[in-house]
Amino acid sequence: TLTLTLPSLLQFLSLGGTWDSTMRGSDVRELIPELFYLPELLLNRFCAQPLPDVILPAWAKSVDEFIFLHRKALESEYVSAHLNEWIDLIFGFKQQGPAAVAAVRMSVHVCVCVC
């Protein structure tokens, strides 16, 4: 049997590992706004039990550098030019049906109850 505890649900250990599992479809996490301005989020200091800090990509030497470069990418000309595509995926016609299948945007419905 699979036992899910609150710390195991909240645990976020590696940006690269999370990216890989998301791209394989085995993880349904989303980028939250805090990943663009709150470096402390990557230090795993918010849990009662000690957890290791999040493993950063090789191109980021610190959590501050990661947040800076992550935000710089978000505010780039490329992202601005392609923002309409993201809107179509999240809010628009690519949410369901043939357009969602073509965009590999099929959701995995997961419900977690933490009592």
Side-chain angles (χ1 to χ4, degrees):
T1 63
L2 176 64
T3 303
L4 295 176
T5 61
L6 187 57
S8 69
L9 290 172
L10 297 175
Q11 201 171 56
F12 176 48
L13 298 176
S14 164
L15 287 164
T18 300
W19 171 265
D20 291 341
S21 65
T22 301
M23 296 308 291
R24 285 192 311 272
S26 58
D27 197 329
V28 292
R29 297 179 209 203
E30 296 182 11
L31 286 176
I32 58 174
E34 288 80 2
L35 281 171
F36 295 94
Y37 72 86
L38 187 65
E40 294 82 8
L41 182 70
L42 303 170
L43 297 176
N44 277 333
R45 304 286 195 265
F46 298 110
C47 295
Q49 67 186 58
L51 295 171
D53 291 342
V54 173
I55 299 168
L56 301 172
W59 49 263
K61 304 303 180 213
S62 69
V63 295
D64 292 319
E65 183 179 26
F66 173 81
I67 295 294
F68 173 78
L69 293 173
H70 202 217
R71 186 170 183 156
K72 187 175 179 180
L74 177 68
E75 296 171 346
S76 71
E77 290 295 324
Y78 178 86
V79 170
S80 294
H82 292 82
L83 187 58
N84 62 310
E85 296 169 28
W86 177 81
I87 291 170
D88 289 340
L89 283 172
I90 303 302
F91 304 109
F93 73 99
K94 292 183 180 179
Q95 282 186 327
Q96 54 189 335
V101 174
V104 191
R105 178 68 169 98
M106 301 307 298
S107 298
V108 177
H109 297 284
V110 176
C111 178
V112 177
C113 177
V114 179
C115 302

